[in-house]
Amino acid sequence: MGGLVFKKAYIAGQGDVQYQSLIKEIRAVLFLSTPHRGSNLALVLNRILATSLMGHASKQYIADLKKNSPAIEALNEDFRNLAPKLQIFCFYETLETTVAFKSFMVLEKESSILGYPGEISRPLDADHHTVCKFASPEDPNYKSVRSALQTLIRNYNISGLQETKSKLTIDFQNVKALLFVSGPPEDDLRDSRNRWQPGTCDSILFAPTFVDWTQNSTSSSILWAYARPGSGKSVLASYLIHHLKESGCICAYYFFKYLDASKRSLSSMLRSIAFQIAEDLPEFYQALTNLFEDTPQFEKLDVRSIWQRLYRSTLFELEYTQPMYWIIDALDESESINAIVETLSGIQGSRSPIKVLITSRELPTITAAFERTSSVPIVRVCLDDNAKDIRHYIASQVQYMHGSIDFKQEIIAQIVDLARGNFLWAELAIKQVLQRHNPEDIQAALSELPPGMDALYRRMEMNVKQISRAADTETSRIILAWVIFARRPLTKDDLLSVLKAEHLVPLDLNHTLSELCGHFVIADSNDRITLVHQTAREYLVKSQDMPFSLDPESSQESLFSTCLAPFLDHKLRSKLRQKVFPSFLEYAATSWFHHLESCSALSNKILDSLVIFLNGSYTLTWIQTLAMLGQLQALVFASRSLATSAQKRRKADAPIMHLLHRDSDLSLLEMWAVDLLKIVGKFGDYLLQDPTVIYKFIPQFCPRDSMIRQTTIGSSLQFSVVGLEATEWDDCLARLSLGSNQQAYTLGTHGRYLAVSTSGASIILWDSLTLETIRTFLHHEHVFKICFSSGGRKLASYGLRTTKIWDILTGRQIHVISNPIDSRALTLSFVENDTALLTATDTRDVSKLYLNNDTEGWKSLDDRIMQEDTSIPDTFLNSPTSLAFNPERTELAVAYRGYPLTVWSLEDAYLINRCKRRVGFHKVSTSSWTGVNRVCWHPTSGDVLGIYTDGMVFKWHPIEENHQELQSTDINATPSEIECSPDGIIFATSDVHGAIKLYNFRHFTLVYQLSSEDIVTALCFAPDGKRFYDLRGSHCHVWEPNALIRLSGLEDTTTDNKFEQRSTVASVIASEVFAETPVLITAIAASSKTGLLFAGDEEGEVRILDIKCHPQQEIGKSATEMCIDHLVCTEDGKYFAYTDLGGRLVIRAVEKLTNSKYTWGSRLVMNVKLKLQIGGIRQLIFKPDAALILVVSLDSAQLWSVQLQSVQAVFMSKKPGTPQRWILHPARPDQLVAISPANITTYDWKDLALIKSDQLDVSDHERSTEPALTRHDSRQSQSPHAEGSFNIGAIVSQTSDIILLSISHSTPFSNQQTQRLLIETTQIMKPSSAPIVPTLLHPDVAAIIAVPLAILGNNNLVFLDLSFWVCTWRLGTTSGKAQRHFFLPRDWLNTEILGLCKVLDDGTLLCPRKGEIAVIKSTLGSGW
């Protein structure tokens, strides 16, 4: 009862002030055999007490212990609400307790566990007396309880109680979603377990092979249990799983299902097993949560990366006392037998033993796969001797049949003899027998039953042939076709929807399955319709005697048409709008393209259906459905299927007349194949947030010639995007600028971070998802290498003289260490759980730095490493050209120009191998080796990728000595850099001509080529493998080509079946893109009154654009062709002024031309060279009548007369380094207002005379700051004397009555904090000098603002939120809910673009986009 007392006390302590501090410190509880749901023995105990001779009476507290008593239920209900605060372990007894002369279970398992989310339950080999009494420290029960306590103590000591508490509140559903587990694993276990008959399968427990396998618990091994088809292997697997779990073992399992495409891959198996282990092993769960934080989009990792990250680097590093068991059923039904066996052989690398049992048929492919494996012990056991189990099963079925015992025994003997070890045959046979009603019929049935499955299937086939009604025959055909060829088993509701579409609705589906499908089809325990056995599929597909055809191509065509049909229904969109989700729609949406893959390439019916589907709005409805299902990855597979189908059709059409070709239709498929990839890559996040954006916004953001844009022309009257000339999709997502006169040197990525070191001795850090600049780290010396910690919380930079470690979250420099003299790091990596750094330098030295004792500095690892043999003929040992650690940081690849590529072991300091190139392999080679310029490792295979000095790309395995060279047809290609993607699917090279090529690693074939005129100095892949980055001059480019999106969509690239080979056809065809470098817009000015827009670019050109008719032309040019950094225009659009980086101010008057091919012209009004104080130009402001212009720098301002072209007044700040934002006075055109963090000051326009200065009182708001997206702004005010820096923004409302201030403050060691303050214009117009007290924005609104854009009519604030939606919120309303209008694509936005976006008075949004201006018209300005 102690556990119940604890729960009662814990509940009571929540509201007791005296004990609240103690209650808050309770983090976990271990219940040992606690009667959470009471016990049936409570009533018995009270009766004993009442009748005892000792005078005892029955006790109320014992009565409360009866099963499901009101007191127990009330206690559980109260405790349930508090349980999420605790980590809960429940241990339960498994042995009967002896009382007097009887033994019984005092407390069943069901009463000992709570069943709460996150609860961990464990069995103890004990009765109720000994459940908390341990014999010795070696007692297994003691070890189990101690292990739980050790886990809790260790976790609480890692990061403090508060942090650990949140980590230990286990949300397994979240883990399941992050691992992308396709379905509950227990469903398959339940299905097989329900077919188990008590008394069967237990003989396996005593088989010598099985006993040896389980008892040898010190090492990992594999037990292969094989048997003939239908012999009960899956049921046996379910029995062993149940037995191991009941024995308290950690047991994970997986059932391969050939009839379910989602349960055939190695990837799905590894994900499912990892999820199950996380449920049973808290240490692994916590390691996974850390891994998920560092690896976004984990579901898109390929199988090699999953094995490496989840297993080799995580699970295999844990140590636990007992072996772990994995049960893998039906290996023969998987799609990648060789890959699965090869992968599972890697369990030998686990620190703790893993025992794997695999069941399958004895196929030659499986036998060969096991024979090739030598790294782990493999034991074989045959399961064909199952006559005893079959006998037991048949006996259980006939026990209630009428007849004598001898008669029943005779039936049992006959069936067992005829079954010949085939459980499935016996099961089907007994069904036939039990349908007969007298001994003669039973004997006749037995004599008619053919031996063997094929013969029995023929008998079942006869039942189908005997169907007389045509409608019944068609129903049978449809059901069998779906059961055989469906991507996954249909549910009963799915199948009913299919039959309803064919007007064949049965009254009783179970009866229909039994009567019309000849017992080939069954409904399993999860109501899924499936075949009685996989062998039935093989028989039916080959059969020529069925009354209808089950030909694969024609059947797949029928299934394809059925799947596509729901999306050709115009009513579907309205159903989705009403959240009505028809049955079968999920299968149809995610499967039509799967069936398309298997249809005939020459089928005009299929092509006609696709043309109809792709030419209307049906495609958009399908995409909306996928978004609502959260299945956007299906777009990648559909893209591949469309491209493959078009390619196969073109190939099939080649021999026939060209006039008969359907080129336009096939082009339609190919164009949609491209569109689908781009849609998921560019707009996936927005679709998941609001699936209807596929109609409203996405088409307008797509290129003019894209199919989605053409299909929806004229469909949206409320939203339009004009001004962009792009006709095709662009692979470049962004071009990130490092600033003027800055060159990019090295780059690195991790999770959501992208970092680039510059020639300015700094490192710029971006958010790789939003492409927002987070911060800049100043190293103050040239940086050779940078790297992220594995946890993504630290950044290391190895410079000319020092190595520095930075805290990414705070920006603090947490370590600075002197480097060895004259050494240059060629590779750098965190090791030992991020507690140390490892580097290899051009001085042929490998050193380690321990961060917990950085005063010792860099220590050489071992002098023997890289001590090369100089006696090799024709070699010259110089400095390495490239160094690379393998993924485990245990080996080092060393490349030289005058010496062979070598690989060294870092653990034992010995030479592993030297790369030997075959003599005469290439015409340049004259010896058995060739120098190497660049080298990198494949993440999982152990191969080294490199570039020989003659330009040849190669891969080489230093252990197996496999060597392969890339046969390039481009004789001018001279690769200079090489990198491999994190998943190992792709590797990339760049050359001196600016080209980047992507290759499929497995096939060593080109899949993508990007040509450019700019030289690439570095490149790397994003962690998810869908993007790559390159450095060119002063820019970092972000690329997302179709090839990467398509390949990243492949769930499992290790399959060895025909479907995989067919599916990758479209992926291995190389595509080539030429990347033009656009001239970026750097400044914008607009006149709402006239609709004229002025844009300045980085080459010094100023263009004018009339947003009503959209033609643009050059109207001004910097004489020095230097970047335009500031640009303003008058409200009437008659004058514009700009400055360039050279400090020259130019003012021009706009003129409309009549007798010219150009619409607009300009005349020079003013051109002067500015003499500025330190800090450069910050602002330009025209006086409304254009007579004066104010030029603002950091600490000063100059007032220029436009007519006199001279300075009329100068303002000097009394507080140097304190920024000010100048604005036109909202109500008085003859005045200016300067806003600083502490004051609001009014000046006279004519001479900058001080009119008044008011204190800005924000003392009540100092704690009400909101973290902002930290942005890097080269113009941001910084003072060397101030603690941090300020940046001030001001927006005046359209009605001029409100000013929105954004005051951002940041320090080198903290994130930027931004206050959003509202000031009424009347406050700055009052004559008194009382402090101005602003009001805050609603906190819910302030928390989501990324960039405020404007305040339109009726005081509607327009802003860009953190997800890049353009939103409005009515100032002064009590509700904190903003209205979303439309989004801006993420690849449009970066730091510079965000600062240039403008909203005109009518709600038109102007947004620069790769040298053009997007003019976006929407409902933003309506309804004010």
Side-chain angles (χ1 to χ4, degrees), residues 818-891:
S818 296
N819 291 339
I821 299 175
D822 296 330
S823 68
R824 180 167 63 99
L826 298 183
T827 185
L828 184 69
S829 178
F830 280 89
V831 292
E832 299 182 17
N833 295 322
D834 298 339
T835 61
L837 268 177
L838 188 66
T839 187
T841 68
D842 62 346
T843 58
R844 305 212 320 268
D845 178 67
V846 180
S847 299
K848 183 179 287 188
L849 171 67
Y850 290 96
L851 301 181
N852 54 6
N853 190 12
D854 58 4
T855 56
E856 293 187 359
W858 288 101
K859 297 293 182 184
S860 182
L861 200 64
D862 194 310
D863 292 339
R864 295 173 295 175
I865 299 175
M866 287 192 280
Q867 295 305 306
E868 309 289 4
D869 181 5
T870 58
S871 64
I872 299 177
D874 301 323
T875 62
F876 173 73
L877 187 60
N878 47 9
S879 296
T881 56
S882 180
L883 298 168
F885 295 124
N886 71 337
E888 293 79 20
R889 311 315 189 253
T890 57
E891 298 174 7

Side-chain angles (χ1 to χ4, degrees), residues 940-1206:
T940 57
S941 70
D943 286 282
V944 174
L945 286 159
I947 304 171
Y948 284 124
T949 52
D950 59 17
M952 188 65 70
V953 176
F954 68 94
K955 64 178 176 181
W956 167 64
H957 198 291
I959 303 299
E960 301 173 1
E961 296 200 67
N962 298 326
H963 184 279
Q964 183 178 355
E965 295 189 11
L966 189 64
Q967 301 304 305
S968 174
T969 58
D970 186 357
I971 60 174
N972 294 317
T974 52
S976 56
E977 302 291 336
I978 187 166
E979 287 291 334
C980 193
S981 64
D983 55 21
I985 298 175
I986 293 289
F987 71 90
T989 65
S990 64
D991 63 31
V992 295
H993 302 295
I996 294 178
K997 298 178 181 180
L998 304 185
Y999 297 90
N1000 182 297
F1001 173 81
R1002 184 179 180 187
H1003 303 290
F1004 238 46
T1005 52
L1006 182 70
V1007 295
Y1008 177 81
Q1009 178 170 329
L1010 171 71
S1011 301
S1012 174
E1013 296 175 351
D1014 302 318
I1015 296 176
V1016 178
T1017 57
L1019 74 159
C1020 73
F1021 284 89
D1024 63 1
K1026 288 176 59 178
R1027 295 178 180 178
F1028 68 87
Y1029 309 94
D1030 71 44
L1031 300 183
R1032 301 168 189 256
S1034 61
H1035 292 87
C1036 174
H1037 294 81
V1038 186
W1039 304 95
E1040 191 172 272
N1042 296 341
L1044 286 184
I1045 301 175
R1046 183 181 292 119
L1047 288 171
S1048 71
L1050 296 176
E1051 179 188 3
D1052 189 346
T1053 59
T1054 61
T1055 54
D1056 45 30
N1057 66 352
K1058 294 181 180 178
F1059 179 79
E1060 188 271 339
Q1061 295 168 6
R1062 186 170 64 245
S1063 299
T1064 58
V1065 171
S1067 297
V1068 299
I1069 299 176
S1071 56
E1072 184 169 356
V1073 174
F1074 181 80
E1076 295 184 358
T1077 303
V1079 179
L1080 298 183
I1081 291 173
T1082 55
I1084 288 180
S1087 167
S1088 292
K1089 183 179 293 186
T1090 62
L1092 292 180
L1093 168 66
F1094 302 87
D1097 63 32
E1098 60 185 351
E1099 292 186 352
E1101 182 179 306
V1102 178
R1103 284 170 281 165
I1104 187 171
L1105 168 69
D1106 186 339
I1107 63 175
K1108 298 174 183 176
C1109 53
H1110 313 302
Q1112 58 176 309
Q1113 66 176 75
E1114 180 182 332
I1115 199 171
K1117 182 80 172 182
S1118 168
T1120 58
E1121 298 188 358
M1122 298 185 74
C1123 174
I1124 304 297
D1125 61 348
H1126 290 279
L1127 177 65
V1128 293
C1129 70
T1130 56
E1131 188 175 351
D1132 57 11
K1134 292 183 178 180
Y1135 295 90
F1136 67 95
Y1138 60 88
T1139 59
D1140 60 23
L1141 288 179
R1144 184 163 291 278
L1145 170 63
V1146 177
I1147 301 177
R1148 303 186 75 92
V1150 178
E1151 299 175 338
K1152 191 163 186 178
L1153 305 178
T1154 54
N1155 299 319
S1156 172
K1157 65 177 180 179
Y1158 298 109
T1159 306
W1160 302 98
S1162 69
R1163 61 178 174 83
L1164 182 65
V1165 175
M1166 178 175 170
N1167 186 342
V1168 296
K1169 175 71 175 178
L1170 299 172
K1171 296 180 179 179
L1172 300 171
Q1173 302 294 326
I1174 189 170
I1177 300 172
R1178 299 304 177 94
Q1179 284 183 268
L1180 291 179
I1181 302 178
F1182 259 126
K1183 191 170 186 285
D1185 60 4
L1188 299 170
I1189 188 168
L1190 185 72
V1191 181
V1192 181
S1193 62
L1194 176 60
D1195 296 327
S1196 66
Q1198 297 178 358
L1199 184 63
W1200 285 78
S1201 167
V1202 175
Q1203 181 179 2
L1204 301 176
Q1205 299 193 21
S1206 62

